[in-house]
Amino acid sequence: MSGDWRPTCSLATLLERARALNDVRAFFAARDVLEVDTPVLSQTTVTDTAIESMRLTSTGGVRYLQTSPEYQMKRLLAAGAPSMVRIGPVFRAEESGRLHNPEFTMIEWYRLGFDLAALMDDVAALVNTVLGAAPYRRISYAQLLHEGVGVDVWRTDDAALAQALLRCGVEMSGDASLSRREALDLLAACAIELLGPGRVFVTDYPADQAALAKLAVDSQGRETAQRFELIIDGVEIANGYDELPDAQVLSARMASDCATRRAQQRAIPAVDERLLDALRHGLPACAGVALGFDRLLMMRLGIDRIEAVLPFSFERC
């Protein structure tokens, strides 16, 4: 008889998972942040070139398993909903690994009237609730790459980026080509792994990595994305934005994503016009963040593989 029927986490871990989720819900309840439910199936999905969605076909047509509840939550905010959180499953078409499972639990929340600094404080408070208090460091994306891999985000040319990738052990096949953004993404991943122990907020990303965040101009006159990532012990945990309210700008970004997907011969989902209509109606000033609960639980329990904090990994479903 095969043992594949068994859960991938222990009973003790299952109980600790429930306790941690209770801690998270208590955190938001104490701050009057409304917990909401959003669909896991939708007619549209994200165009983001860094994310692939799972697509289903049914009698009602094509549906996508959601990679994030962001679009639906913003529609709720535009309709007048208060600060809110959604705790539940999301899906991404990626391989399983030490830190990845195609289905995982995301905590995503939006705080009305918050800027990025206030949202980072909110994230730190939640993490402290789950993991215990510890110091946090804040560095810019440019500082991350300069300290980690010796790259100047603004000045290093493409040839030097390729050499930096080689120094990091990233070897490219002879016919492979990377855009500047793709090269920086790989170098950032290398730099994150080199951060070592500790809790670090990375801020001020290049403008072409804004996704659904606002842009701002830094002290050197350069456009940067108003977003952050939280890295704990070299692992990406959370991604937050000062949310973009401009439908016209977002529509242009989505069109650019689709053009990139077309050039790469990848699936091109339809643009979510309902989200754009919600932004045209008016998205209140807010900041939002998505945090991977399973990775946070791994750190709480000292477990090094995501499958060991899941009742059933993707391979056993």
Side-chain angles (χ1 to χ4, degrees), residues 5-67:
W5 64 270
R6 294 185 178 278
T8 47
C9 75
S10 67
L11 177 58
T13 298
L14 194 66
L15 293 172
E16 193 60 34
R17 184 181 181 94
R19 293 189 187 101
L21 283 169
N22 284 337
D23 291 344
V24 169
R25 288 192 160 94
F27 173 90
F28 288 110
R31 289 159 175 78
D32 293 323
V33 177
L34 177 69
E35 184 173 354
V36 299
D37 291 320
T38 58
V40 295
L41 279 174
S42 180
Q43 296 175 44
T44 57
T45 189
V46 296
T47 58
D48 192 328
T49 57
I51 299 173
E52 286 301 323
S53 302
M54 294 183 180
R55 171 176 166 161
L56 304 178
T57 303
S58 69
T59 54
V62 173
R63 294 291 186 273
Y64 296 91
L65 287 166
Q66 293 301 282
T67 64

Side-chain angles (χ1 to χ4, degrees), residues 218-246:
D218 69 12
S219 60
Q220 304 299 313
R222 298 172 296 218
E223 274 195 324
T224 59
Q226 294 301 282
R227 56 170 289 204
F228 66 80
E229 288 195 10
L230 173 62
I231 313 299
I232 301 180
D233 298 339
V235 176
E236 298 172 57
I237 293 293
N239 187 9
Y241 299 155
D242 190 346
E243 300 295 345
L244 174 71
D246 191 318

Side-chain angles (χ1 to χ4, degrees), residues 6-10 306-313 316:
R6 294 185 178 278
T8 47
C9 75
S10 67
I306 195 169
E307 65 189 30
V309 299
L310 301 173
F312 296 96
S313 68
R316 291 204 187 177

Side-chain angles (χ1 to χ4, degrees), residues 130-274:
V130 177
L131 300 185
Y136 292 78
R137 187 161 64 107
R138 298 186 183 185
I139 64 173
S140 69
Y141 181 86
Q143 186 179 354
L144 170 72
L145 268 73
H146 177 71
E147 292 180 1
V149 294
V151 163
D152 185 320
V153 171
W154 311 108
R155 295 187 177 89
T156 301
D157 62 26
D158 291 351
L161 291 181
Q163 289 300 312
L165 285 169
L166 287 175
R167 291 196 300 273
C168 290
V170 179
E171 296 187 14
M172 305 298 297
S173 61
D175 58 351
S177 62
L178 290 177
S179 67
R180 183 175 182 84
R181 174 176 172 175
E182 289 168 335
L184 288 173
D185 282 347
L186 288 171
L187 288 168
C190 294
I192 285 170
E193 289 180 1
L194 295 171
L195 277 174
R199 304 178 188 180
V200 182
F201 284 106
V202 180
T203 65
D204 300 311
Y205 282 69
D208 65 356
Q209 297 188 36
L212 277 76
K214 291 179 182 177
L215 296 181
V217 177
D218 69 12
S219 60
Q220 304 299 313
R222 298 172 296 218
E223 274 195 324
T224 59
Q226 294 301 282
R227 56 170 289 204
F228 66 80
E229 288 195 10
L230 173 62
I231 313 299
I232 301 180
D233 298 339
V235 176
E236 298 172 57
I237 293 293
N239 187 9
Y241 299 155
D242 190 346
E243 300 295 345
L244 174 71
D246 191 318
Q248 184 174 353
V249 172
L250 181 55
S251 179
R253 291 182 189 175
M254 288 175 164
S256 176
D257 286 344
C258 290
T260 298
R261 285 177 168 276
R262 187 174 296 108
Q264 296 173 346
Q265 298 183 324
R266 294 163 62 191
I268 305 172
V271 168
D272 192 328
E273 294 293 343
R274 291 189 178 99

Side-chain angles (χ1 to χ4, degrees), residues 282-300:
L283 181 72
C286 62
V289 59
L291 184 149
F293 170 75
D294 307 294
R295 290 185 180 182
L296 198 62
L297 184 60
M298 289 170 62
M299 293 174 178
R300 175 165 164 147

